[in-house]
Every structure is written in C-alpha cells, then in structure tokens.
Amino acid sequence: MASHIVGYPRMGPKRELKFALESFWDKKSSAEDLQKVAADLRSSIWKQMAAAGIKYIPSNTFSYYDQVLDATSILGAVPPRYGWNGGEIGFDTYFSMARGNASVPAMEMTKWFDTNYHFIVPELGPDVNFSYASHKAVDEYKEAKALGVDTIPVLIGPVSYLLLSKPAKGVEKTFSLLSLLPKILPIYKEVIAELKAAGALWIQFDEPTLVLDLDAHQLQAFTAAYAELETTLSGLNVLIETYFADLTAEAYKTLTELKGVTAYGLDLVRGTQTIELIKSNFPKGKYLFAGVVDGRNIWANDLASSLSTLQALEAVVGKDKLVVSTSCSLLHTAVDLVNETKLDDEIKSWLAFAAQKVVEVNALAKALAGQKDEAFFTANASAQASRKSSPRVTNEAVQKAAAALKGSDHRRATNVTARLDAQQKKLNLPVLPTTTIGSFPQTLELRRVRREFKANKISEDDYVKAIKEEIKKVVDLQEELDIDVLVHGEPERNDMVEYFGEQLSGFAFTVNGWVQSYGSRCVKPPIIYGDVSRPKPMTVFWSSTAQSMTKRPMKGMLTGPVTILNWSFVRNDQPRFETCYQIALAIKDEVEDLEKAGINVIQIDEAALREGLPLRKSEHAFYQKWAVHSFRITNCGVQDTTQIHTHMCYSNFNDIIHSIIDMDADVITIENSRSDEKLLSVFREGVKYGAGIGPGVYDIHSPRIPSTEEIADRINKMLAVLETNILWVNPDCGLKTRKYAEVKPALSNMVAAAKLLRTQLASAK
C-alpha cells in the first residue's frame, strides 16, 4: 500500500530559511549562501520522507516566498513596474514582486483560502505576455533525482492559478481571467515536456479552487484545460490535488471526468462528506489519494478511526488504487515534535507535527497492506484515551459561563454615533486623527532581553526596567512625531496570540513550533487543549505604565477571541464556536480591568476574523453570527466614553462588510493600501459606515517609505467616499517587522499628510 505527502514545511526545524532570507535581504549574505541553505533543507526533507517509507514524495513545494508567486515566475507574469526584460527570473525581480523595492510597491498579498498562510496575488490582463521564465520545478525534480529520490513535481494547476488572480491595475474589473487559459497552457506544456524528459513518472497539479462554490463556466474551465493538456501529459501519471473542504457533487463530477488524469487527491478531514461521493461513484481504474492525516492541525491522528475509513474506501476503489495521504500540505503545521523539550509528556503524547504525520501516513499504509505496527497503534490508542479523560481538559465553571451566553446578543446599550460624540468630548481629537496599529520595531536588543528573561538569565526587576525603557522610547518618538492616539509598542510581546495564550488557562506552548505565515514571517501558534479562562490581568500593568508617560490617549492592546482562535492550533473535541466564547469571556474580563485602570481607548484586534470564514457560502451566516457575537461579548460592558477599536489585516473584506458593521466597534483600522484600495469600492457602491474607520495609508510589509504626497493622495481617495469626521489615518498593520530607519520617516510623512489635509479642509470651509 502506497503513501503520499501533499507538501512539507519549508522553513526548517529551527527556521533556517527565515534567517537565510533575512540575511540576504539585509545584504549580509550572498545569493549563493541563500541557495545553499535552501538546497540543504530540500535534501533533508526528501531524504527524511524516503527514509520514512513514503512512496510519493513531492518536489517543487519548497519556495523562497510562496508557491503562487513561484507559478507567476514560471509563467513570466511579471507586472511591468518591476522592469523585468525577459529571461530567467532572478531574486531581484522575484523579491521585488513580493516585498516591493525603493521605487515601486509590492504586489497584493492575501490569505491562502481560510488559513493563516498568505500568497502574492497575480496581476493579469489581456496584454500580459506569458513566457517560460522560471525552471524551478524541473531543476528541483532533477536535484532530488540526483540524491536518489524520485519525486512527484507539484505545480499550481492552471485553472486555480487564474481563479486566484486579479485584474491588473487599469484592466476592467469585469475582465475574465479564465479567458487567459489558452495563453498560459502553452507554458504548462513546456514545463510538462521538460519534466517528462527529465524522467518524471508522476505530476501533481494542485487545484484547490475546486472546493469553492464554482459556477458552470468555471467548472468547464477545468474540463477544457485538462483536455488541452491531455496529449502533453500522455505517458505521465497525473494527480489532481484538492484540499480544505468538501467537493460539491458538480465539482466531484468535473474532477473525476477530467481527461488524462490518473489520480484524485481529496481532503477527507475537512471534507468528510466527499467520502459519500466516493462511495457512490468512483471511476474504475483510477487512484484515490485519501487525505486522512490532518495537515492543518497538530493533534495525533486517531489511527484506528482512520484505518477503518481507509478499509471502507479500499472496498470501493480497490486495494492497489488506494494511496494514504495528508489532507493538504503540512506547510500549515509545525515541523518536528522532537524539538519540543518543554512540553509535558501527557500533552506531547496527544500531538503530531509534520515529521510525525509522515510516520502516521506510512503506518496507516503499512497497516492496510497487512503490516500493522501493533505497538505503534496501541500507543496511539492510549494517547487518544488519555486526552479524552484528562481532568486538565475540562473546567465546568467555564463551560457553564459559556453556555449562559446564548441568551443575549451582547450589544452596547447606546448606538455608535452617540458613543463617538461622548468619546470626542473626552478625547478631544483633531479631524483625521493619527494612530498606529500597535507594535513598533522589535530590535535585536529587545529580543535579547525577552529571551534572557525567559531563560532566567536576568531578574524580573531588570526585565521590567528594560521594557519600561523601551516603552518610554516608543512613547517619546510618537509624541515627537505628533501622533494623536499612542500605543506602547508591545515590547513585552513576541507574538500577539502567543502572549495572551501564555497567560490563559487551557493553552500549551512550544519552543520550536514555528509555522510560516508569509515570506520569512513565522508564527508559533499556541495549542488550545482545554477550557479557557483568565487567571489574572494580562496587560493592565504595561498599559497603565505607558499611559502614565503621556497626557495623550494610550491604547490598551488586546487580541480578540476570533483571532486567538484562528491563529492557534485548536482542540478538535468540541465545536470551535464553544472555544471562541470561552476566550471572549476571558478577554471581556481584561477589557473591563483596563477601563477601571483609566485606559480610555482599547483596541481588540480581530485581524483573522475574515480568515475563518468557511469556504462554502452556505456556512457563512453561522460562522459570522458566532464570530461577531464573540467580539461583542468582549466589550459589551464598557462605558460610552471608552472607545473600542479593532483591527483587521490582509484579507478580502468586501464580502463581510456587513458583519464588520455588526461588530459595533467604535473605530476599525483595516488593510487597504496593498490591495489597490479594494476596500474603498464597498463605500463607493453605497455601503454606509457610521463608525470611525482607518483604511491603511501605507503598506508596512514593504521596506519602501511612502512620500507625504503619496499618503495625502490616498487620504483624498478615502475622503471621496467616507465622511471627514469618521476617517482615521494609520498604517496598514503593526510595525514590528520593520526597522526604525523605515518607521520614523514613514510615520513622519503620514502625520505630515494628515496635517496637510486638515489645513486644506479648514481652508475649504
């Protein structure tokens, strides 16, 4: 019985690629140095999978930034502003598209389906001249083969690539991206021909958009694309991989009737209903790559349950046609549990990271083939039983409090217009008030202080003194820049979710459980294993300390319950909304303590609210109801004069704008600049928004410093669709990933732009 892995984490067990990328970007190392680190990581991954007994090992799942940008490079779809003149795309052009450069901004970045991973959105139009401009897929296949590992090269499928793209600036929004299919398929044919010539026997096309709500025209594009590729694919085994949700009956029919396709990869963790489609009608002679090992979470697989599912499927598709696989790429999970030295043994026994999931996949494949490792299965069954019965998982008081929430919608008593009036009387802010999103640059010295405190190398007194000094530096800088509503810069926090999880019950933490978010940005999601509560205040001391350093309003900075949920590895033994309500109650306690401590502006970030939106429209309403309710729970008890902010970052917000309004926050700051001000189109189309709103005026994920004139132009575009008295001026997101040499001039220009517009507005009266 064969086994398969859809994809594998790229960063390395100790984030080796992250550090190599940042060293290269900072011009401290060469391209050759970066390529050497990357080659070593790829070699290690391939050899590890081969040693574990995996038959179908992927290649070309490694990326220096993201796999969609890699596909853009293969197709030579470089926007003209980057000055690329043809030939093989190098690092300069590649990273300029991803991060921008001194003269031009980066391409738009958005979330990869409903994950916390991001991708660079292709910008396409009728005039794009596609050409075969990156041979990475073929090069990596050959690289693995030279190491003695025969792999399945993986490509983003042509239809999903187009459906994940957007019309370039200046192209009509109604332009049919699928009309470009005849232009990109010749490039795919060139890649396929080279892979065949190099000796490839299989090829994997990732077509995850098949799980979305697609119309007949979109489904027909899959049929047309693979019919066109059929002759070129002749002689290859072709796997079409889907993931993240069920397939509709129509999509399943389209998939299983594609020309020239040998195998179908299906997510049977998040797509359990797809199993019924398989049982009712699976094409004879085709392979099923059954994704029964969860690529999105870190819980050990219930091997007995998975084996039962696989045995039922084996009866349908045939013993020699069933391949055990992961539900999706393991990119979304941590790398290796072996590196976790501080997790206690009980919780550790409940977990499986990427390396362990590879072993689980192979163990299931061997069990199906009659070579069951009884000791491995017995240990797994014991761990499953331990987790179900452990007293540390359940807190009856928390469960009772969360259950009681269902009787109210937890709205503040006064409408937002009246609240904003009361807040303005107290805060006395100018027109177009300026603020930032929360974090300031995390310097090497600051990271050292936190690291040494965690390692007990410095005392608590020394740690508190160092953090206070950093807060004072950030407060003084903001006052010098004349920012209106200040933040303390979050120097005590390495990560916005991890920081809160460490202080809440029901959470566990890893040392090296890093997961890639985008580029070199990695996060270390906490693990929610049990009921959640707040034993004591979490941020009151630092916020009060910061407020004592200034007469200007100081924001209390919290992470909202939906974001904590969506950016954690969440327990899978109860519905997600129940866990979210528990977190909301804990944050509510913190909000009320901040208010009592004299903090008049409190930001409750819901950066990931859009991210958790289910992929199927039929499931949207239920998610939006409990997600928005969770946010309202956190602040329903504060006074009218306490201003509640929230923040959302890189996503497509337009389809949840009514839920954003229903959150009933006083002010929302929201990503806008990198997505070509897509957000503003909602207001142009007539949506009325009465609360304060700060669409980001510049992209913080690029080192580029915007000019005062550029920012003023953005503000003017906002004023064309938003009332002057509700508009705020702020960056897109927090500043922790930037350097002070970039932050100071950018914020200075931002404040100057706001003042320029205030003057113009005053003189126009």
Side-chain angles (χ1 to χ4, degrees):
M1 190 62 59
S3 50
H4 166 250
I5 305 297
V6 177
Y8 201 80
R10 308 150 180 163
M11 284 290 120
K14 299 285 179 69
R15 295 181 291 162
E16 291 89 342
L17 182 61
K18 168 191 171 65
F19 299 122
L21 282 166
E22 290 173 356
S23 176
F24 175 70
W25 293 336
D26 290 341
K27 297 183 167 43
K28 294 177 181 175
S29 61
S30 66
E32 290 73 21
D33 294 331
L34 175 58
Q35 289 164 334
K36 172 71 165 59
V37 170
D40 288 347
L41 285 170
R42 288 193 296 268
S43 170
S44 172
I45 291 165
W46 291 326
K47 288 177 179 178
Q48 176 189 343
M49 283 195 252
I54 302 299
K55 180 175 181 181
Y56 299 114
I57 296 170
S59 61
N60 197 41
T61 57
F62 181 90
S63 178
Y64 288 104
Y65 213 88
D66 85 77
Q67 68 271 28
V68 181
L69 183 61
D70 291 351
T72 294
S73 298
I74 287 173
L75 295 168
V78 181
R81 65 181 177 275
Y82 298 108
W84 176 66
N85 294 315
E88 190 81 3
I89 289 174
F91 281 155
D92 281 354
T93 301
Y94 181 87
F95 289 128
S96 289
M97 289 192 286
R99 307 175 71 237
N101 58 42
S103 57
V104 291
M107 294 166 70
E108 179 184 349
M109 181 169 70
T110 196
K111 295 286 174 76
W112 177 246
F113 294 81
D114 58 348
T115 75
N116 186 31
Y117 181 69
H118 300 68
F119 72 97
I120 302 298
V121 182
E123 302 172 10
L124 304 179
D127 299 327
V128 176
N129 293 314
F130 296 99
S131 64
Y132 188 10
S134 168
H135 292 67
K136 177 179 174 294
V138 178
D139 291 343
E140 287 187 16
Y141 173 77
K142 290 178 178 176
E143 184 183 327
K145 196 169 185 182
L147 294 168
V149 182
D150 195 24
T151 60
I152 302 187
V154 179
L155 297 171
I156 296 287
V159 183
S160 287
Y161 177 79
L162 293 176
L163 291 176
L164 292 168
S165 302
K166 69 172 187 177
K169 206 165 188 176
V171 174
E172 288 291 328
K173 298 301 178 191
T174 55
F175 173 71
S176 170
L177 293 160
L178 289 176
S179 70
L180 297 174
L181 205 50
K183 292 188 175 183
I184 68 169
L185 289 178
I187 316 299
Y188 274 86
K189 289 179 181 179
E190 287 188 69
V191 181
I192 294 163
E194 282 198 10
L195 287 168
K196 281 170 73 172
L201 301 175
W202 281 80
I203 188 167
Q204 174 179 321
F205 292 102
D206 281 9
E207 293 281 15
T209 56
L210 271 166
V211 306
L212 302 178
D213 293 312
L214 301 179
D215 60 32
H217 172 67
Q218 291 167 324
L219 289 173
Q220 172 58 29
F222 289 94
T223 304
Y226 287 93
E228 177 64 26
L229 292 175
E230 183 181 13
T231 303
T232 311
L233 288 168
S234 176
L236 280 172
N237 290 294
V238 179
L239 166 63
I240 306 294
E241 187 69 49
T242 71
Y243 34 79
F244 299 151
D246 283 299
L247 291 171
T248 63
E250 295 80 9
Y252 180 79
K253 183 174 187 294
T254 298
L255 171 66
T256 53
E257 292 178 356
L258 292 179
K259 300 284 188 185
V261 173
T262 318
Y264 316 106
L266 303 174
D267 182 340
L268 304 183
V269 175
R270 291 183 173 236
T272 51
Q273 294 172 36
T274 302
I275 293 173
E276 298 310 311
L277 293 172
I278 296 167
K279 288 179 178 177
S280 66
N281 183 25
F282 190 80
K284 286 183 180 177
K286 303 292 186 180
Y287 288 84
L288 172 62
F289 282 56
V292 294
V293 172
D294 192 353
R296 293 269 303 262
N297 218 326
I298 43 66
W299 303 107
N301 188 272
D302 184 338
L303 294 177
S305 175
S306 292
L307 185 58
S308 175
T309 298
L310 290 164
Q311 287 167 335
L313 291 170
E314 186 180 59
V316 175
V317 306
K319 199 176 190 70
D320 62 333
K321 299 296 182 184
L322 184 63
V323 178
V324 183
S325 185
T326 54
S327 65
C328 62
S329 173
L330 298 176
L331 171 71
H332 308 288
T333 190
V335 179
D336 196 341
L337 200 53
V338 168
N339 297 316
E340 299 309 322
T341 53
K342 295 187 178 178
L343 276 174
D344 70 67
D345 289 342
E346 182 180 36
I347 290 179
K348 202 170 179 178
S349 74
W350 303 342
L351 307 178
F353 290 179
Q356 288 68 47
K357 290 176 185 292
V358 169
V359 174
E360 288 178 339
V361 166
N362 198 54
L364 286 165
K366 289 176 75 174
L368 267 180
Q371 301 164 36
K372 186 177 180 184
D373 185 334
E374 294 293 350
F376 189 71
F377 271 71
T378 300
N380 175 267
S382 297
Q384 298 292 326
S386 156
R387 187 174 163 220
K388 285 174 184 170
S389 62
S390 175
R392 69 200 298 180
V393 170
T394 307
N395 181 325
E396 286 188 18
V398 171
Q399 294 205 344
K400 189 178 285 188
L405 293 170
K406 292 164 189 173
S408 167
D409 65 0
H410 298 89
R411 291 183 184 276
R412 291 169 77 178
T414 311
N415 70 45
V416 69
T417 304
R419 296 197 311 261
L420 288 172
D421 287 344
Q423 292 155 16
Q424 179 58 14
K425 284 172 186 168
K426 188 166 190 174
L427 299 173
N428 193 29
L429 297 171
V431 172
L432 305 179
T434 54
T435 190
T436 64
I437 305 305
S439 61
F440 264 65
Q442 301 259 320
T443 62
L444 290 173
E445 174 62 16
L446 181 56
R447 293 176 191 276
R448 181 192 64 78
V449 167
R450 281 202 308 261
R451 190 169 57 247
E452 290 188 354
F453 177 59
K454 276 199 168 187
N456 296 315
K457 291 181 179 177
I458 60 173
S459 68
E460 184 170 3
D461 286 348
D462 287 341
Y463 171 73
V464 170
K465 181 185 175 191
I467 297 299
K468 281 184 175 179
E469 287 173 356
E470 184 69 21
I471 291 172
K472 183 72 168 74
K473 183 175 83 174
V474 169
V475 170
D476 288 349
L477 173 60
Q478 291 171 92
E479 290 195 325
E480 177 191 323
L481 291 167
D482 205 16
I483 291 172
D484 300 304
V485 175
L486 311 190
V487 298
H488 76 289
E490 304 176 10
E492 78 284 16
R493 310 178 193 181
N494 178 60
D495 177 87
M496 61 188 282
V497 173
E498 182 182 5
Y499 176 79
F500 290 98
E502 284 178 337
Q503 300 181 78
L504 294 168
S505 63
F507 282 74
F509 295 88
T510 64
V511 176
N512 286 297
W514 297 100
V515 178
Q516 185 182 18
S517 179
Y518 62 86
S520 69
R521 169 86 169 127
C522 298
V523 293
K524 198 161 33 131
I527 297 164
I528 306 177
Y529 67 83
D531 291 334
V532 177
S533 62
R534 185 197 73 146
K536 62 182 181 181
M538 301 179 285
T539 66
V540 175
F541 173 75
W542 295 118
S543 291
S544 300
T545 298
Q547 184 63 81
S548 71
M549 297 174 180
T550 181
K551 292 182 180 178
R552 300 185 186 213
M554 174 63 63
K555 285 197 278 194
M557 299 300 305
L558 304 175
T559 302
V562 184
T563 296
I564 290 176
L565 183 88
N566 285 335
W567 286 358
S568 297
F569 290 125
V570 183
R571 57 190 295 191
N572 57 1
D573 59 346
Q574 71 176 18
R576 287 173 71 88
F577 71 85
E578 290 185 14
T579 302
C580 199
Y581 283 157
Q582 293 177 1
I583 303 168
L585 285 171
I587 300 300
K588 181 177 187 287
D589 290 343
E590 187 71 13
V591 168
E592 291 170 6
D593 280 348
L594 281 167
E595 185 182 55
K596 286 173 193 166
I599 304 300
N600 296 316
V601 182
I602 302 171
Q603 181 169 309
I604 308 165
D605 286 345
E606 283 297 14
L609 188 134
R610 170 62 178 79
E611 174 184 311
L613 192 70
L615 299 177
R616 281 290 154 65
K617 287 176 184 171
S618 60
E619 299 168 21
H620 285 191
F622 179 63
Y623 168 79
Q624 289 171 318
K625 183 178 179 181
W626 64 254
V628 169
H629 187 193
S630 295
F631 177 81
R632 289 202 307 262
I633 288 166
T634 65
N635 61 88
C636 63
V638 301
Q639 299 172 28
D640 286 356
T641 51
T642 298
Q643 189 167 84
I644 299 296
H645 289 223
T646 190
H647 170 67
M648 295 184 181
C649 51
Y650 300 96
S651 272
N652 293 314
F653 301 110
N654 298 25
D655 49 358
I656 63 161
I657 191 66
H658 294 290
S659 290
I660 292 173
I661 294 169
D662 200 33
M663 290 168 73
D664 199 27
D666 297 310
V667 178
I668 179 169
T669 52
I670 195 162
E671 185 275 326
N672 172 66
S673 65
R674 192 158 179 176
S675 57
D676 284 338
E677 296 155 346
K678 195 188 298 177
L679 172 71
L680 298 186
S681 66
V682 172
F683 304 111
R684 291 190 194 101
E685 289 159 13
V687 171
K688 298 298 180 189
Y689 192 73
I693 183 167
V697 297
Y698 79 90
D699 174 23
I700 66 87
H701 289 95
S702 170
R704 184 173 167 271
I705 298 162
S707 67
T708 299
E709 294 72 24
E710 181 182 331
I711 295 174
D713 181 57
R714 283 192 185 278
I715 298 171
N716 269 320
K717 287 179 182 175
M718 295 169 192
L719 287 170
V721 291
L722 294 166
E723 296 295 327
T724 307
N725 63 337
I726 66 169
L727 186 61
W728 285 63
V729 177
N730 47 263
D732 262 349
C733 205
L735 304 168
K736 68 185 292 182
T737 60
R738 301 269 56 88
K739 297 178 175 63
Y740 272 105
E742 299 157 351
V743 165
K744 288 178 183 178
L747 290 181
S748 178
N749 292 349
M750 182 187 84
V751 173
K755 289 180 176 180
L756 176 66
L757 268 294
R758 286 174 199 159
T759 302
Q760 291 175 1
L761 289 167
S763 64
K765 284 184 179 178

